[in-house]
Amino acid sequence: MQYPLISEYLAAIQDAHDNLDKLNHLVPVLDKHGEPYRSSGAFAVVFKMKDEQTGKYYALKCFTEEQEGRAEAYRQIAEELEFVDSPYITSVKYLEKELFVDSNCEDDEFPVLLMDWIEGETMETYIAENYTDSYEMSMLCYRFCKMAAWLRSQSFAHGDIKPDNIIVRPDGTLTLVDYDGMFVPAMKGQKSPTIGTKDFSHPLRTIDDFDETIDDFALASIALSLKAISLDSSLLQSYGASDRLLFSATDFLDLSKSKIFAALQGLLADVETRTLLSMFLLASAQKDLSMCSFRLFGLQKPKEMKVWSTEVTEEDLNPTLQPTPTPRPSSGETSEKSQQGTTSSNSSYGGWFVVFFLRFVVFGGLGLLLGAAIGSGIGGDNGTFFGAILGFIILNITLGKLLD
């Protein structure tokens, strides 16, 4: 089947209401030049459309090349993904003879693929903008590995994992797009419509390799590359290219001669790098990772480094906002406290004198009476005198203890 040119699709989408069948409620979103917003690839062009009733955006994919069995494949893919609830995947709907296009082709009605529009930028673009930021690249590697672990636990495979087929949403979430090469269980025993992109696929992959493991090698190589770039961004400048990461198809053919593989040896002090490198070597040797757990993709979430601000604050400009120290007492306050202490001390001395005087008078009088009684028993004037002294001492000691 012959398909229209991109320019012919463009003209048809500009009048979408008349040229679309079941989807005639969609209108094209225009770019700054007033033309339908679009992005094109090797085998298709994708238009951004909007449902004005709901405000929801869609991606309308129009094909420029024939692919045998495409209609049946997308029917099976749509059935498999209908109940998959994950941000990593979007639902798809294949509509046969949906768009009328005035072209030089024999047919004038062509199929389209309808998907949710994923806001963001391709991972390829994101890396180009952020590869020197160690934290951003560490987070990208962490998120990619989470997606890889999830994908390896599923019964289906994407079929063409590469940065250009991954959208990085504004919140950092990753979403896979372009499902032309996808495998679902209903396709078991069939030939693969693609062998992936050479700089991300196993060098020995053929159309006979078509099961849930076909993404394993790409996942392992991309994860290792992202980790390495997060640790040393200069590696991308030295060994990368605009349409790939660190490894090329030539590297995959013979790792012993790969310069980037040799350069990675300097990063082996990092535990996660060693784990990802081990998975990459296993996938290189076996073509898949069926011998190990998908949990090996579970990296530790990076911690954001605290950045000290150089911004001048109001506190810096206004010293009066600084905490006020506790004031020292003035000389007058010190003198007053001293006088209070002296008064207190004098009062205690006066109190002690009064107590002593009372004891002397009271206890002395009682002691004299007691001494007189004792002296009369001894006899003579000396007996009375010594008896009075003895009585005074005994009463002072005994009663003084009781009063204290």
Side-chain angles (χ1 to χ4, degrees), residues 319-334:
T320 59
L321 296 178
Q322 299 293 337
T324 304
T326 305
R328 295 184 179 181
S330 65
S331 57
E333 291 175 339
T334 306

Side-chain angles (χ1 to χ4, degrees), residues 18-241:
D18 292 333
N19 293 325
L20 286 171
D21 183 14
K22 297 176 182 177
L23 302 177
N24 64 356
H25 59 287
L26 300 181
V27 297
V29 175
L30 305 181
D31 60 18
K32 60 182 180 180
H33 302 295
E35 294 186 348
Y37 184 90
R38 63 194 183 278
S39 62
S40 56
F43 307 108
V45 57
V46 178
F47 294 95
K48 185 176 183 179
M49 309 294 285
K50 182 180 180 181
D51 184 338
E52 292 192 323
Q53 293 181 347
T54 64
K56 187 174 181 179
Y57 292 95
Y58 293 92
L60 189 71
K61 187 172 186 177
C62 303
F63 302 97
T64 57
E65 295 287 342
E66 172 67 12
Q67 180 180 326
E68 185 180 354
R70 177 189 287 136
E72 178 61 17
Y74 267 112
R75 184 190 65 78
Q76 295 171 332
I77 291 170
E79 289 179 357
E80 179 70 23
L81 301 184
E82 183 178 2
F83 301 106
V84 176
D85 184 16
S86 171
Y88 301 129
I89 290 287
T90 181
S91 61
V92 298
K93 187 177 183 180
Y94 186 85
L95 295 94
E96 194 74 61
K97 297 184 177 182
E98 173 63 25
L99 178 64
F100 173 83
V101 181
D102 185 9
S103 68
N104 295 323
C105 302
E106 294 181 2
D107 298 310
D108 54 15
E109 293 180 333
F110 299 90
V112 299
L113 186 70
L114 185 69
M115 302 169 287
D116 291 338
W117 179 266
I118 308 301
E119 204 64 53
E121 57 187 343
T122 66
M123 195 168 88
E124 182 177 270
T125 301
Y126 185 87
I127 293 172
E129 295 173 348
N130 297 279
Y131 76 95
T132 57
D133 189 323
S134 178
Y135 174 73
E136 289 297 326
M137 291 305 300
S138 295
M139 281 301 300
L140 180 62
C141 181
Y142 168 75
R143 288 167 174 149
F144 179 84
C145 286
K146 284 190 67 175
M147 182 186 72
W150 175 84
L151 189 57
R152 286 208 63 245
S153 68
Q154 304 303 309
S155 59
F156 56 84
H158 180 273
D160 191 15
I161 298 288
K162 59 180 179 179
D164 200 40
N165 282 341
I166 301 171
I167 299 296
V168 182
R169 299 180 189 235
D171 65 354
T173 303
L174 305 182
T175 302
L176 293 164
V177 295
D178 191 353
Y179 305 153
D180 290 353
M182 179 170 277
F183 167 84
V184 297
M187 299 175 180
K188 189 174 182 179
Q190 298 179 19
K191 301 291 185 181
S192 174
T194 177
I195 57 172
T197 303
K198 64 178 183 178
D199 289 326
F200 298 96
S201 297
H202 195 283
L204 301 182
R205 179 178 170 181
T206 68
I207 59 173
D208 293 323
D209 299 309
F210 196 47
D211 57 22
E212 67 278 7
T213 68
I214 55 176
D215 293 331
D216 290 3
F217 182 81
L219 294 173
S221 65
I222 293 174
L224 177 60
S225 294
L226 293 177
K227 184 63 179 179
I229 295 170
S230 73
L231 297 174
D232 183 359
S233 62
S234 67
L235 292 174
L236 186 62
Q237 294 174 312
S238 301
Y239 304 101

Side-chain angles (χ1 to χ4, degrees), residues 21 301 381 389:
D21 183 14
K301 186 175 182 179
D381 293 335
I389 296 299

